[in-house]
Amino acid sequence: MIINSLLLIVALLGGMQSTNTETYHHCDVVYQQSEATVYVTRTGTRFHRGRCQYVKNRPTRSMTRTKAVDYGYIACKVCKP
């Protein structure tokens, strides 16, 4: 009876630990995305990845994704930064 109870507790704790790890990983991904460098053109209203066809060979300004959103830029529908 005691061994069964201990196995149940270990199984429950193991499940809880897995959930916490997944949640932390999800938060980590969101943090990395918001701090990614994006690029805007002088006259554009959207922000892009560095390899996007709309910013290649054009003068751009770089900033974090968070700053771009704060300044009112929206994500490019082609490169989806």
Side-chain angles (χ1 to χ4, degrees):
M1 181 74 170
I2 294 175
I3 293 175
N4 288 340
S5 297
L6 289 174
L7 290 174
L8 178 61
I9 291 171
V10 169
L12 289 174
L13 289 176
M16 289 168 52
Q17 181 179 1
S18 175
T19 302
N20 290 341
T21 302
E22 290 171 6
T23 302
Y24 175 77
H25 179 69
H26 176 70
C27 292
D28 191 35
V29 170
V30 170
Y31 172 77
Q32 287 177 359
Q33 183 181 16
S34 67
E35 295 303 316
T37 300
V38 296
Y39 301 88
V40 296
T41 61
R42 188 171 52 89
T43 58
T45 59
R46 298 182 181 269
F47 58 90
H48 308 267
R49 294 179 190 256
R51 296 180 302 216
C52 181
Q53 64 185 357
Y54 292 109
V55 295
K56 267 189 174 176
N57 302 319
R58 292 191 175 124
T60 58
R61 187 173 75 177
S62 64
M63 62 184 75
T64 64
R65 187 180 198 284
T66 304
K67 288 270 190 202
V69 171
D70 290 345
Y71 289 144
Y73 292 102
I74 55 178
C76 173
K77 291 182 180 179
V78 175
C79 65
K80 300 176 183 157

